[in-house]
């Protein structure tokens, strides 16, 4: 993606400026200029993610689609590279162990650890989306038959009912369950009620046992919403003596990190997300954060709508799959052979649209997983470098006995 090309030029400019600082003794002014450049680029990056305000506008990525999430992660990786350059490159290490950075940097490193947990949880959630896709494809295969008969309709109905029920389980069960650590057993027969038009209570219980997430390894009681809350609880705009360039830089990157993790949790199935919208306030007084605030408000509005209904996430492809599946369930419930030509054409169109959605998931989920893993490894590497720098500085400043 184009955004990945920009950090190198940014790092080059920072490196050049650091060399100038060494010879000019203008460190403070240069740091302020570097911060201003970083803020400007963050603002520009996130403004590119804001969806068009008019339906007449053309955008290559639908809001909260897989393509949009991949662009968000790409922008994050660019910001992360720029942040590390500002914090470490050509700098006297003793600066980051002095107040207030001696508190702000460890807090940032703690947020990174929590972000790693969220990356793991989201990666498991993507596996659940892949199972939703498989159920949808079973229904597609049945309804693509011509002519459509009772057998195909019953098969499609079973798959679609299981799909809709499992989507609700992903969200509601994670919000309310007191069960122990989860494990997946996809492929078991649904048992009683599996062949009926609607899922019976017994069938729903069985589905709940099967769809409590694919390969969940998060600990009992782990909560994505609480993780976001913990990441943002001490995220405060630097003021007074703390408002110099480096504290502002750490605050900016912390805000970007929390926003990206918050968005991933909202978009994809994740363990326990109740009340997610209340956990991430961003000051509206910050100029560079205006685009981010606009995105946050839009995502929060969408989340509130879906939270009332119960949904496995805001991912655009999943929402489309859910809507089409509900419509096709209504068709299977009222099916009568032979099918009228007009109704046949309508169902064929919906099945084709569902097939297109599944194709987008099939093509996009693996690259999305790879990108989340890249984020994971990148922040691990950066955190290690910062920790090593802190340890080196601590040893260098220790008195020789």
């Amino acid at each position: 993606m184009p955004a990945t090309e920009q950090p190198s030029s940014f790092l080059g400019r920072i490196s050049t400026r650091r060399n100038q600082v060494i010879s000019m003794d203008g460190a403070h002014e240069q740091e302020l200029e570097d911060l201003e450049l970083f803020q400007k680029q963050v603002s520009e990056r996130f403004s590119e993610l804001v969806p068009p305000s008019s339906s007449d506008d053309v955008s290559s990525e639908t809001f909260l689609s897989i393509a949009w999430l991949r662009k968000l992660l790409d922008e994050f990786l660019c910001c992360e590279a720029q942040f590390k350059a500002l914090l470490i490159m050509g700098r006297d290490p003793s600066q980051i162990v002095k107040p207030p950075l001696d508190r702000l940097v460890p807090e940032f490193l703690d947020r990174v650890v929590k972000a790693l947990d969220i990356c793991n949880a989201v990666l498991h959630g993507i596996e659940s989306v892949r199972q939703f896709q498989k159920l949808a494809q079973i229904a597609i295969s049945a309804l693509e038959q011509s002519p459509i008969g009772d057998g195909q309709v019953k098969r499609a109905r079973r798959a679609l009912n299981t799909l809709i029920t499992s989507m609700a389980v992903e969200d509601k069960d994670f919000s309310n369950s007191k069960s122990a650590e989860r494990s997946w057993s996809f492929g078991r027969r649904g048992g009683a009620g599996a062949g009926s038009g609607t899922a019976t209570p017994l069938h729903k219980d069985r589905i709940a046992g099967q769809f409590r997430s694919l390969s969940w390894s998060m600990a009992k009681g782990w909560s994505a919403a609480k993780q976001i809350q913990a990441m943002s609880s001490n995220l405060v705009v630097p003021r007074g003596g703390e408002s110099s360039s480096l504290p502002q830089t750490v605050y900016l990157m912390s805000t970007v990190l929390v926003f990206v993790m918050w968005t991933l949790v909202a978009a994809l199935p994740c363990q326990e997300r109740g009340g997610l919208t209340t956990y991430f306030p961003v000051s509206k007084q910050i100029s560079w954060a205006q685009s981010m605030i606009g995105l946050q408000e839009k995502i929060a509005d969408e989340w509130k709508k879906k939270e009332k209904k119960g949904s496995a996430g805001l991912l655009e492809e999943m929402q489309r799959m859910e809507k089409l599946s509900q419509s096709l369930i209504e068709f299977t419930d009222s099916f009568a052979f032979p099918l009228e030509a007009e109704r046949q054409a309508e169902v064929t169109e919906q099945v084709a649209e569902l097939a297109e959605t599944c194709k987008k998931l099939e093509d996009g989920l693996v690259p999305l997983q790879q990108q989340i893993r890249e984020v994971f490894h990148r922040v691990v590497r950066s955190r290690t470098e910062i920790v090593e720098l802190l340890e080196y500085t601590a040893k260098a400043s220790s008195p020789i006995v």
Side-chain angles (χ1 to χ4, degrees):
M1 294 186 183
T4 57
E5 300 172 2
Q6 297 184 30
S8 58
S9 61
F10 179 90
L11 298 181
R13 293 166 72 180
I14 293 296
S15 179
T16 300
R17 289 173 176 183
R18 294 293 183 221
N19 293 333
Q20 293 173 348
V21 168
I22 293 173
S23 60
M24 291 174 55
D25 193 27
H28 179 66
E29 291 77 8
Q30 196 62 61
E31 285 180 359
L32 290 176
E33 188 176 340
D34 292 343
L35 172 62
E36 183 179 352
L37 175 62
F38 188 30
Q39 290 175 338
K40 179 182 177 183
Q41 294 203 349
V42 168
S43 177
E44 290 173 352
R45 291 186 188 286
F46 281 89
S47 66
E48 293 175 359
L49 294 166
V50 177
S53 57
S54 169
S55 58
D56 296 331
D57 293 332
V58 177
S59 176
S60 57
E61 296 93 12
T62 304
F63 184 55
L64 287 173
S65 64
I66 291 175
W68 186 90
L69 287 178
R70 292 195 63 203
K71 185 174 181 180
L72 171 70
L73 294 175
D74 192 62
E75 304 294 14
F76 170 79
L77 290 170
C78 292
C79 291
E80 196 275 341
Q82 295 171 2
F83 166 73
K84 190 166 66 171
L86 287 171
L87 188 67
I88 296 177
M89 186 179 291
R91 186 175 301 286
D92 179 0
S94 65
Q95 286 184 270
I96 64 173
V97 295
K98 295 177 181 178
L101 290 175
D102 62 336
R103 173 178 56 83
L104 297 177
V105 172
E107 287 177 355
F108 172 76
L109 296 178
D110 183 62
R111 290 188 193 100
V112 168
V113 173
K114 291 179 171 60
L116 298 178
D117 280 344
I118 290 175
C119 286
N120 278 329
V122 169
L123 285 170
H124 290 307
I126 290 176
E127 294 298 330
S128 293
V129 179
R130 189 170 280 115
Q131 300 305 319
F132 300 157
Q133 174 198 343
K134 290 180 180 180
L135 289 168
Q137 287 175 327
I138 292 172
I140 291 166
S141 177
L143 296 176
E144 280 181 336
Q145 303 299 315
S146 183
I148 301 175
D150 286 334
Q152 289 85 11
V153 168
K154 288 180 179 179
R155 186 165 182 249
R157 183 189 300 142
R158 285 196 299 270
L160 292 170
N161 274 318
T162 303
L163 169 60
I164 294 299
T165 305
S166 65
M167 277 187 163
V169 166
E170 280 290 342
D171 210 51
K172 292 180 179 179
D173 188 62
F174 291 165
S175 296
N176 303 313
S177 175
K178 297 181 180 178
S179 61
E181 297 177 10
R182 283 73 183 266
S183 62
W184 182 269
S185 54
F186 182 80
R188 295 177 184 172
R189 300 257 176 210
S196 60
T198 58
T200 66
L202 176 58
H203 186 212
K204 289 181 179 180
D205 287 343
R206 290 180 180 272
I207 292 172
Q210 296 170 18
F211 284 85
R212 279 176 182 159
S213 181
L214 178 62
S215 303
W216 274 104
S217 61
M218 307 310 293
K220 175 184 177 181
W222 188 90
S223 163
K226 289 180 180 178
Q227 200 82 334
I228 295 293
Q229 184 182 25
M231 291 177 71
S232 59
S233 61
N234 56 359
L235 187 58
V236 181
V237 181
R239 301 183 185 279
E242 296 187 358
S243 60
S244 59
S245 61
L246 280 180
Q248 291 283 357
T249 300
V250 174
Y251 171 77
L252 189 157
M253 191 61 213
S254 293
T255 303
V256 170
L257 177 67
V258 177
F259 174 79
V260 171
M261 294 301 118
W262 178 83
T263 302
L264 288 176
V265 169
L268 294 159
C270 210
Q271 184 171 320
E272 209 288 286
R273 302 179 293 179
L276 189 65
T277 56
T278 64
Y279 294 145
F280 181 37
V282 180
S283 174
K284 295 187 177 181
Q285 307 301 318
I286 303 175
S287 58
W288 55 261
Q290 295 309 304
S291 297
M292 194 183 302
I293 291 169
L295 289 168
Q296 181 192 18
E297 291 175 347
K298 186 171 179 61
I299 294 170
D301 287 342
E302 291 298 315
W303 179 259
K304 288 174 184 176
K305 295 175 188 175
K306 300 300 286 185
E307 197 171 31
K308 291 178 181 178
K309 294 171 54 181
S311 170
L314 297 179
L315 185 69
E316 194 273 339
E317 287 84 357
M318 286 174 57
Q319 292 196 65
R320 185 171 296 276
M321 177 187 291
E322 182 181 17
K323 181 179 179 180
L324 290 167
S325 297
Q326 292 281 15
S327 179
L328 288 171
I329 286 174
E330 292 177 6
F331 159 73
T332 61
D333 286 343
S334 60
F335 173 77
F337 187 84
L339 193 61
E340 296 178 358
E342 183 177 349
R343 187 63 171 135
Q344 173 72 67
E346 182 181 344
V347 170
T348 299
E349 182 179 349
Q350 290 181 340
V351 170
E353 189 175 350
L354 185 58
E356 181 183 357
T357 301
C358 286
K359 184 66 165 59
K360 289 182 179 179
L361 289 169
E362 183 178 354
D363 294 342
L365 287 178
V366 170
L368 179 60
Q369 280 182 312
Q370 291 172 342
Q371 203 163 11
I372 293 172
R373 290 191 182 101
E374 183 181 357
V375 167
F376 182 98
H377 292 297
R378 175 79 71 82
V379 297
V380 165
R381 187 162 57 248
S382 295
R383 185 182 187 278
T384 300
E385 291 176 12
I386 295 172
V387 169
E388 288 176 350
L389 183 62
L390 292 173
E391 291 176 347
Y392 170 80
T393 305
K395 290 179 181 178
S397 60
S398 299
I400 300 176
V401 180

